[in-house]
Amino acid sequence: MKSDVLSTTKKDVSENKQRLLERYDIIRSFTEKLTETLETEDFVIQAVEETSPVKWHLAHTSWFFEAFVLKKGMPDYESLHPQYDYIFNSYYVQTSDPHCRDKRGNLSRPTVKQVFEFREFINDNMHKFIAGLDEESFREWEPVVEIGLNHEQQHQELLLTDLKFLLAQNPLYPIFLERTRDAAADPGPLSWVEFDEGIYEVGHPGGQFGYDNEFPEHKNYLYPFGISNRLVTNGEYLEFMNDGGYGEVKWWLDEGFSAVEREEWASPLYWIKRNGEWHHYTLNGVEKLDLNEPVTHISYYEADAYARWAGVRLPTEKEWEAASKKAELKGHFVESMNVHPAGIAKGVTAGDDLIQMFGDAWQWTQSAYSAYPGYKPFPGALGEYNGKFMVNQYVLRGGSCATPESHIRRSYRNFFHANARWQFSGIRLAKDLHES
Amino acid sequence: MKSDVLSTTKKDVSENKQRLLERYDIIRSFTEKLTETLETEDFVIQAVEETSPVKWHLAHTSWFFEAFVLKKGMPDYESLHPQYDYIFNSYYVQTSDPHCRDKRGNLSRPTVKQVFEFREFINDNMHKFIAGLDEESFREWEPVVEIGLNHEQQHQELLLTDLKFLLAQNPLYPIFLERTRDAAADPGPLSWVEFDEGIYEVGHPGGQFGYDNEFPEHKNYLYPFGISNRLVTNGEYLEFMNDGGYGEVKWWLDEGFSAVEREEWASPLYWIKRNGEWHHYTLNGVEKLDLNEPVTHISYYEADAYARWAGVRLPTEKEWEAASKKAELKGHFVESMNVHPAGIAKGVTAGDDLIQMFGDAWQWTQSAYSAYPGYKPFPGALGEYNGKFMVNQYVLRGGSCATPESHIRRSYRNFFHANARWQFSGIRLAKDLHES
Amino acid sequence: MKSDVLSTTKKDVSENKQRLLERYDIIRSFTEKLTETLETEDFVIQAVEETSPVKWHLAHTSWFFEAFVLKKGMPDYESLHPQYDYIFNSYYVQTSDPHCRDKRGNLSRPTVKQVFEFREFINDNMHKFIAGLDEESFREWEPVVEIGLNHEQQHQELLLTDLKFLLAQNPLYPIFLERTRDAAADPGPLSWVEFDEGIYEVGHPGGQFGYDNEFPEHKNYLYPFGISNRLVTNGEYLEFMNDGGYGEVKWWLDEGFSAVEREEWASPLYWIKRNGEWHHYTLNGVEKLDLNEPVTHISYYEADAYARWAGVRLPTEKEWEAASKKAELKGHFVESMNVHPAGIAKGVTAGDDLIQMFGDAWQWTQSAYSAYPGYKPFPGALGEYNGKFMVNQYVLRGGSCATPESHIRRSYRNFFHANARWQFSGIRLAKDLHES
Amino acid sequence: MKSDVLSTTKKDVSENKQRLLERYDIIRSFTEKLTETLETEDFVIQAVEETSPVKWHLAHTSWFFEAFVLKKGMPDYESLHPQYDYIFNSYYVQTSDPHCRDKRGNLSRPTVKQVFEFREFINDNMHKFIAGLDEESFREWEPVVEIGLNHEQQHQELLLTDLKFLLAQNPLYPIFLERTRDAAADPGPLSWVEFDEGIYEVGHPGGQFGYDNEFPEHKNYLYPFGISNRLVTNGEYLEFMNDGGYGEVKWWLDEGFSAVEREEWASPLYWIKRNGEWHHYTLNGVEKLDLNEPVTHISYYEADAYARWAGVRLPTEKEWEAASKKAELKGHFVESMNVHPAGIAKGVTAGDDLIQMFGDAWQWTQSAYSAYPGYKPFPGALGEYNGKFMVNQYVLRGGSCATPESHIRRSYRNFFHANARWQFSGIRLAKDLHES
């Protein structure tokens, strides 16, 4: 009997291993697919401190498996190069001394070819390592590998947004991937989906992977609120601009208006006026602005100012998550390789449903990124992943056209500084439904 | 009969006016009392952008009454000087163009004498104005005057903290006011006051003055938590320092550790080591550090790092306010003219009561400063007062030894950037009581 | 016989002492006279790093006598305050650790009154010290005192230019000293005074006081050159401006144009356009620009650009000094208390004489400040006075309306960075007379 | 007869064309040879603003011929790409709007391959253009081509020094070109070559190419001076370091010591201490420091401080040039592909001859970069080449191991800011021989 159980377990483990390895291969190779159209030169440059070179993303995601899995779990593991640990580390300061973040673009070596060799080397070792695990070890290491894969998916998105930022600096406006897209349909007037006062559960319900910052699921007392059925469009945002929005201090947070003046913001990032007409740089090259598409590449400050101008406000992350439970988890994600918000297809109308909750554009919430009640960081160096950034950043929800579909959840919390504009970040509105 | 009612009302109004004028005089003259020991030279300097010269505080608080009361409500009002409006404005950008904030210390004129004349001029006009109001007008203007008086009280505290910062830059370490204080008693070991899970009302209950940011009172779902019975002492903070706290990255928020390295922080602000012994600069001059006194002049980053090192966390502002309802609203405030946290008097023990909740030192909470559900700014230019700062700042509660006692409330929300250290800011701890 | 000689000598020494003490008193009291019209508040502020507070100038010039005379030569000398040495030192780093230069404005204490007491204390001690010197000691110490007095005179000029800079920041535009001046006469067209090719002696010929940087007198081979008979006027400079001079890159040194763009220069410092008419801030308050007055408060970059636009160039300091021997050493100096370039009196014409060579406005030369062949610094800490600044600064010659007449010489070398504008600095032109 | 002359002339022109084209091909192809060992990634990065990416150098030198020759002289010339003019321009602001200097490293496109295609395209057109010129046109265009070739040679040196700076940032310390070199011989004690007082001619004597800043040749009155027979060695510089040179303020110019403190300089650039022994990064990789080699990669500030410490001074550029006429124009240049100062070969002694005057290391002079008497810029946009930098830079003489031998002259004036360290810059000493 016992042996039966054992053999069954063995089968399960080897199936689980198989599933994990397949998932590993799919995710790891998708990262590489994203770089297929690039020239060697595109892999190298760090345009500003906030971004990283493409080849750094390729290597750093591999380093993660080396540092947190292979070096810890594989007794005879030897690094491909002793300096890679130093060069490809990021902020995991408990692990090793990081090469200064704003200097990542100063490294012409290892070459792109060597970085791909490093990836292959890690992949080979990861396969060997996982294949060799017994049941108990597998149970121990699977969650770490899972974090590594989620980490890789995060960097898939960053790789694309950093790349877009880099290419947009170039007066030649290089095209990443030529795609034909249909024009977005008119989404119709914005309407409000309403929610009652009461206690709402927010946070990851467990049962599948989630980051430490999504836990624990917990109760929140919410007041009656409305949330907009769809994202704000380029056309609507343009009305704010044409109404002098960037010059009118009353719409802005104090630090927001300082940013407007210091950075000379007068439109979303990547917008370009040519012969009096608004265009924007996309990974398809420079295109005429589609007024029906969701506005994107705006900062928290701009999202907040727009909402004030519109007489409403941004949702809290609690409201957003409560509302999201009414919306289907579908949308335009990176798998389509469009890497651009798609707008609404012809024939579809937004109507009374919550649409564009997932994919297309991350949605700024008015919630500062902070710990949930009872929050516990992942143990050890992995615990530095999220908690140490819980200050001066704002939560975005829903994923974007650069997010992998398999990576997003209702409870997923993205976070950036209030002045960040190089992500695919957009606006969903909210408003109070009670008298105060 | 009617006339009786009227006369009664008249009496009421004139009593109310009388009360307001008395309150006006008390608060306005207390501001001036704070500067009695100063030399003319002490009024002039702006040591860093965050602080303002003493004479600017004296003038700006007067300008407030000119801009929001006299210019709007007194038909024949004429300014003492047409440029004062420009010079003494701050961030109320709807009102007039502010003289750049970091240049306030470049103005040697108007002289201190002229600034006091300006104060007198405003006081005379305010008396005339209030005396001349009929019942209806009084009802309209009383709340604006009330805001002006609260604004003045806020600047009383800033005047002192800015002055302390200035004097501390001086190798001569000037004494503001010589006072004899008893040494603080040993407050005994820190213990925890516990609160159950449930819905707690937070926010201003109405009925007396409050800032717009304290409204509306609203329900919050809190999980079981403990809050420390007293403030963290200098002695306890020194243990953190002696344990290498400032050099250990794992205790720090990422931006906190950057601040430590950039600013070369190795102790709270104003601490000085002399011959191997810790001293600190106080408004009494340089004193040996009293280990039993509450630690103060620390940033949010330091408060957070200390809490992590201690294995617990900072309270949320909701928890703090919920707990505060169990504590008496008393403590060491500016009226004593000590302008230094007093510690615990001999014979008192902290025990199981919540002590030091008010006065002594502002207590950093882990809550980003943001709008309550249903928040509505004050109308017009006064509405710029609070809402426009609702980003990248953290809430402090409880008031300090530099706060007027009549100014503080349980619902009072102070807020500063996470790196601010020149306020009397200290630490109260909290911890979760539930399993997540 | 011998005794006769001795007695004669004694008489000489005591006469020399008397002369030195008189000179000491005249110069020291003139510094104080310059501050007679100031309010206490005007003494305190440092508007930008390059400038110092008035009270710092008053104290630092006294500190010089303490550090280089009294502490070294008076055996029983005791400082008035042990910290003054630290606070009022400047860059004489061999002497004691300086209080950081850009923080001089953070010191409200010692008060202005205490600083005047410090001056009196130093004066008393200097009188005692000099009175007590024997012949040999007098010969040793006289040159050091002489340096101290020249140092004081330099700071008289800086006190005024720093003060002007400070008051000009104030929207109230305070008046330093109300004076009535005649309008300047039309100086007539600019003409050229010509000099032949040959060897010219440049440098201090000895026999009276000079700074180390003026020595030794030495030969220079000069090519035939012309130098303008007078200074460039406001009116002529305005033509350059009206011709788009500030926007035309071809007139500018590369770093000059960067400064124009970075600092948004569009006119000389202190020029203000009111209702379409040019005014400028003077120590008399804001005045309408007098087109006949010499232009002043311009940087080396602007002087150089103007000269290029005019098709000529700035003189070298060798040319200037060679030419200066043809000019009378007279002009408008600080003793007049005008502290403003005076222009040409009515009835005078510039003609073929070199006028305005001294006083009115320092004249930028195209010569980088460097050592003469055979240069030897003063010995000891005094030698840090000049040599250590011999990099990245440009020589100005002739003195200004803020320079004491008794301080200036043909060989006198002033020097500032190419972007400095707060001195009374103007333009004299030169041109080549040979074919290259 | 006439026809004979003509035909002779024709022959001469075609010979001259031939000579020019050969020279063109040699210089242009040598630039490319310098990049043969590089990876594509090495061409792309701009490590700091002062440096440029390798591919920018390759393209910019080609752009020069396009902008100043082909676009002006070839009627039917069409650019390969309309944006290249904008992207590869530098500071020739009269020509077209430059792409901001500090952003050159943000351009991943055009690719390295495309840049080489651009070079070939320019070369083809230049060949066509020159081949098609008649005699008169050739006389007109030859000097412009000559400037273009000299410009290319300057960028050959910059390409190498910028590349060295880039590779040195990399913890992998990549090797540019592996070379075996003999250890330098002991050069023997430093001795002085003496020169008499008198008039010396300095500047380009004409007859061959020179930059505008070398003209006109002109007389200078020099005082008797000695100049060191050889360059200062690593070993000698190390004595200065070991004597605490970097910490002793008295050796330093005021701005020099500020740079030491701000930049935390404690050795020449590229020096690395490993296990207590000094190494330095070279284009051969990290090597143990050879004490007999000339010290290099030091700033003007360091050269000046070393000279002061040694009790002497740096030469003026006039002295250097006067002395150089006694030295042979030979040395270690870039043609050897060592790109490292070679030191003295075994068996050679420095002795009384002036050695190492050319090649090895540029020699800082104490002369600010300025115009010679009678200086005239090249006409038009080419005139922006040199004159506009004549402020706040210091002259270096003699060329280095990264300079082409055919590019250097006795009258050649290189110039950099006083804090520049990434050039091969070293020290030759001088001293006064007269009493002042």
Side-chain angles (χ1 to χ4, degrees), chain D residues 159-187:
Chain D
L159 183 157
L160 290 168
T161 52
D162 291 1
L163 177 67
K164 183 171 181 180
F165 187 84
L166 170 64
L167 298 179
Q169 308 309 304
N170 197 325
L172 305 176
Y173 292 121
I175 290 169
F176 165 67
L177 190 56
E178 200 132 27
R179 309 282 290 185
T180 317
R181 293 195 318 272
D182 293 332
D186 180 344

Side-chain angles (χ1 to χ4, degrees), chain D residues 19-36:
Chain D
R19 230 181 350 252
L20 184 64
L21 282 170
E22 273 167 29
R23 191 161 141 69
Y24 179 93
D25 289 344
I26 288 169
I27 289 174
R28 293 279 290 169
S29 62
F30 185 68
T31 308
E32 298 179 14
K33 190 189 165 196
L34 292 176
T35 68
E36 274 174 10

Side-chain angles (χ1 to χ4, degrees), chain B residues 328-333 356 358-360 405:
Chain B
E328 256 188 288
L329 208 164
K330 65 171 191 185
H332 303 106
F333 293 104
Q356 300 173 322
F358 301 96
D360 285 315
E405 182 161 14

